[in-house]
Amino acid sequence: MTAAQRRTVAIVGAGPAGLMLSHLLWRRGIDSIVVEERSRHEIETANRAGILEAGAVSMLVDEGVSDRVLRDGHEHDGIELRFRGRGHRIDFRDLVDAAVWLYPQQDVFADLADARARDGGDVRFEVSEVAVVDHLTAPVLSFTDSEGERQEVRADIVVGADGSRSYCRGLVPASERREYFTTYPYAWLGILADAPPSAPELIYAHSDRGFALISQRTPTVQRMYLQVSPDEDIAQWPDDRIWEELVARTAGDGFELRTGTITEKSVLPFRSYVDETMRHGRLLLVGDAAHTVPPTGAKGLNLALTDVAVLADVIPRALATGDTDALDEYAERALDRIWKAESFSYWMTQMLHLSPDGDAFDARRQIGELRRIVSSDRGSAYLAEAYTGWPR
Ligand code: PHB
């Protein structure tokens, strides 16, 4: 064991939330350490969602992380909603004067990891046996580093940015957690395919065979998803069946799905979850460690980044006054947006996915709802405002 080191903030988890927080704190003159069990390569090659709100893009650019998103990302001024064989464009620019960016989470992560390395940030990948003690009074983070050396770091504040299976969340006694969740009778089968894009923007398709989403990655690689059941056996989905289903679910209107070679497939179960206890003593939880959303609204990463923006404002003030109760402001402010995003993601999910028991009333209700959205500017603006992100 080496002698205990000191950092002002100890962050568990080097995903986009943990790294962005470390970066923002550094910009505000506060030092931190970030520890992560996975390797940089492992995080960089995991497929995650791909849509950034304009606010997330400005955070990357204006806070000096990188402007690569402006060069390699693609600005999307709208999406298409497809149902009953017809496409309906929701024009974000016209409706709410906003846009989103297609820029995969792996790229956000790579930009942040590069920026932390460039700015001399202390980020330790491939650590093991992470433990936090005394988070109510005088937190100590310990871990075994990639060289097998046990390390100990004393810190004023510990932040759990360690994802939906968070170790840090477990530090809060179950009796003090305020947890809310709901589950859904569906999941997504996601694929990556070598193929050209089928359309300039994302397509969210409702059909009587279930939901499909046609997204993109690059001019030669596409990302697509289709609704399956949560206990789906991926072995039942040979490539031909996936294409057949994607084509059928998006058919009509002369639309032609461009197919190709599938290079990866996996099933993503989803649920909605919020733990409103985002602060416990000197421990704070951010991003997926505190809440998850189903991927239909593309809100997960965006929400993690807005959590971090609030924290980067609250932590320096709490440290300056020495009053840890000031940390309560974090949850108060963050939960407003979290519940808006939970509501939006739930609504998009329930509007677009086929109920597995084939409820005929529900299918017609969904068409009524989709018609309310696409046949009125006010209806469309409701979706556009939420999708592009509410003002901060
Ligand atoms: C993606 O491109 O991975 C993606 C896009 C939009 C979503 C979810 C995932 O709603």
Side-chain angles (χ1 to χ4, degrees), residues 362-379:
D362 200 56
R364 279 167 173 71
R365 172 196 68 77
Q366 289 175 323
I367 298 298
E369 185 145 31
L370 284 158
R371 292 289 311 147
R372 285 203 293 123
I373 298 304
V374 303
S375 64
S376 124
D377 273 359
R378 289 189 184 131

Side-chain angles (χ1 to χ4, degrees), residues 117-177:
R118 174 195 71 202
D119 300 331
D122 188 1
V123 181
R124 316 282 182 95
F125 290 101
E126 294 177 73
V127 308
S128 55
E129 297 166 275
V130 172
V132 173
V133 294
D134 295 338
H135 71 273
L136 292 178
T137 50
V140 181
L141 164 75
S142 57
F143 59 96
T144 303
D145 70 16
S146 56
E147 252 93 76
E149 192 88 26
R150 194 76 194 151
Q151 305 278 352
E152 215 175 76
V153 182
R154 300 182 179 281
D156 293 325
I157 290 173
V158 178
V159 176
D162 50 348
S164 53
R165 273 171 251 131
S166 174
Y167 156 78
C168 291
R169 186 167 68 226
L171 297 168
V172 182
S175 60
E176 287 180 56
R177 280 188 229 156

Side-chain angles (χ1 to χ4, degrees), residues 26-253:
W26 168 73
R27 302 248 305 169
R28 288 149 184 74
I30 295 168
D31 66 292
S32 63
I33 180 171
V34 188
V35 297
E36 168 64 54
E37 291 186 343
R38 293 166 297 171
S39 68
R40 182 175 162 153
H41 179 75
E42 198 180 336
I43 306 177
E44 231 160 18
T45 49
N47 274 304
R48 305 296 300 268
I51 292 290
L52 292 183
E53 295 172 358
V57 172
S58 345
M59 206 163 159
L60 286 168
V61 177
D62 301 346
E63 293 282 359
V65 176
S66 164
D67 60 4
R68 185 164 76 100
V69 57
L70 301 178
R71 284 176 275 119
D72 295 354
H74 296 274
E75 190 171 3
H76 284 201
D77 285 344
I79 55 166
E80 181 177 288
L81 287 180
R82 281 185 83 74
F83 56 97
R84 291 206 157 148
R86 281 195 52 202
H88 306 261
R89 183 160 189 263
I90 307 290
D91 188 327
F92 300 154
R93 186 59 69 193
D94 257 18
L95 291 159
V96 293
D97 195 22
V100 295
W101 290 70
L102 184 87
Y103 192 66
Q105 179 164 331
Q106 301 95 282
D107 291 9
V108 175
F109 164 78
D111 291 350
L112 283 161
D114 286 346
R116 285 286 55 211
R118 174 195 71 202
D119 300 331
D122 188 1
V123 181
R124 316 282 182 95
F125 290 101
E126 294 177 73
V127 308
S128 55
E129 297 166 275
V130 172
V132 173
V133 294
D134 295 338
H135 71 273
L136 292 178
T137 50
V140 181
L141 164 75
S142 57
F143 59 96
T144 303
D145 70 16
S146 56
E147 252 93 76
E149 192 88 26
R150 194 76 194 151
Q151 305 278 352
E152 215 175 76
V153 182
R154 300 182 179 281
D156 293 325
I157 290 173
V158 178
V159 176
D162 50 348
S164 53
R165 273 171 251 131
S166 174
Y167 156 78
C168 291
R169 186 167 68 226
L171 297 168
V172 182
S175 60
E176 287 180 56
R177 280 188 229 156
R178 288 176 292 144
E179 294 179 291
Y180 305 89
F181 69 92
T182 192
T183 55
Y184 303 85
Y186 5 86
W188 283 4
L189 194 168
I191 64 161
L192 272 180
D194 291 336
S198 299
E201 293 170 344
L202 270 56
I203 300 172
Y204 288 80
H206 174 283
S207 86
D208 55 15
R209 305 170 72 115
F211 172 72
L213 169 59
I214 311 302
S215 183
Q216 317 168 349
R217 282 300 175 264
T218 70
T220 55
V221 177
Q222 312 309 316
R223 181 87 167 135
M224 306 180 200
Y225 301 94
L226 56 101
Q227 174 188 350
V228 294
S229 90
D231 51 13
E232 198 73 40
D233 175 8
I234 200 142
Q236 301 304 311
W237 286 91
D239 296 4
D240 287 355
R241 183 177 174 209
I242 293 176
W243 287 125
E244 195 184 310
E245 215 37 55
L246 283 168
V247 167
R249 292 183 190 193
T250 52
D253 233 3

